[in-house]
Amino acid sequence: EAQVTQNPRYLITVTGKKLTVTCSQNMNHEYMSWYRQDPGLGLRQIYYSMNVEVTDKGDVPEGYKVSRKEKRNFPLILESPSPNQTSLYFCASSLSRSGELFFGEGSRLTVL
Amino acid sequence: GIQVEQSPPDLILQEGANSTLRCNFSDSVNNLQWFHQNPWGQLINLFYIPSGTKQNGRLSATTVATERYSLLYISSSQTTDSGVYFCAGRFDSWGKLQFGAGTQVVVTP
């Protein structure tokens, strides 16, 4: 089944404890991206990647890192999480930068 | 910046009713998609529709790219149609999907 898989789906952590949210797609898509969704602010892009080893900042990259060492994986790294990073996170992928974007199921992160 | 505006912001329907959701966008679009966010927070792809008309069961969508709007039609609504409906477009060469604020739909029995 074609899908975008994120893990963990739910996480409660504490300020400063490094964490990684994994994202994997099995559709051989070139383009991958991370979004966060917050009440009143909608969905905003954090980082995106056009292909392996090609990544760039979206609208809200502060406090996040990404890497794209393999085509299928695009992990989101929070080196030192803070409470303002409490959010619902989505990973997404598409065949190209203009194609249909498919989203993972979301990861609900709470930073205390 | 580019604007994606959805209307109405909220919609309450009785089961069986039909409705139309509208999405206006301020620039030429490379890609236009409609999503349904269910109560569990999942974003479900409804339509990929940069132009033209598509139908999927009780749902259909039309995008008139030259006039910069898209419409989502829900017919014979069911309680499972409740949730937030988003339209989103890709307008630039970097592939960012720009979301509207959404339409919150509640279908009552």
Side-chain angles (χ1 to χ4, degrees), chain A residues 7-75:
Chain A
N7 280 296
R9 296 284 316 284
Y10 302 91
L11 181 64
I12 300 174
T13 190
V14 295
T15 299
K17 186 176 182 183
K18 180 180 178 179
L19 70 92
T20 299
V21 186
T22 64
C23 175
S24 181
Q25 50 92 5
N26 62 1
M27 296 172 278
N28 201 33
H29 284 173
E30 286 193 350
Y31 183 96
M32 297 187 74
S33 183
W34 278 100
Y35 288 79
R36 61 177 288 176
Q37 184 178 26
D38 303 288
L41 297 175
L43 284 120
R44 296 175 292 169
Q45 190 185 54
I46 304 170
Y47 268 94
Y48 66 95
S49 170
M50 300 277 202
N51 212 327
V52 176
E53 302 290 2
V54 181
T55 63
D56 210 342
K57 298 175 181 177
D59 295 324
V60 287
E62 296 78 19
Y64 304 96
K65 285 174 58 177
V66 293
S67 68
R68 186 95 181 271
K69 294 185 170 57
E70 306 163 280
K71 199 171 189 178
R72 64 183 294 124
N73 295 323
F74 191 45

Side-chain angles (χ1 to χ4, degrees), chain A residues 4 6 24:
Chain A
V4 180
Q6 299 178 223
S24 181

Side-chain angles (χ1 to χ4, degrees), chain A residues 6 8-12 87-89 106-110, chain B residues 37 39-41:
Chain A
Q6 299 178 223
R9 296 284 316 284
Y10 302 91
L11 181 64
I12 300 174
S87 188
L88 177 58
Y89 290 87
S107 296
R108 198 170 292 276
L109 172 65
T110 302
Chain B
Q37 188 165 37
W40 295 270

Side-chain angles (χ1 to χ4, degrees), chain A residues 35 37 59 97 99 101 105, chain B residues 31 33 37 90 93 97:
Chain A
Y35 288 79
Q37 184 178 26
D59 295 324
R97 69 185 78 175
L101 200 61
E105 292 186 312
Chain B
N31 151 350
Q33 292 184 240
Q37 188 165 37
R90 284 171 127 164
S93 58
L97 199 62

Side-chain angles (χ1 to χ4, degrees), chain B residues 7-13 18-21 74 83 103-107:
Chain B
S7 60
D10 299 281
L11 194 57
I12 300 176
L13 300 168
N18 302 327
S19 63
T20 301
L21 282 58
I74 305 174
T103 294
Q104 172 86 55
V105 173
V106 175
V107 181

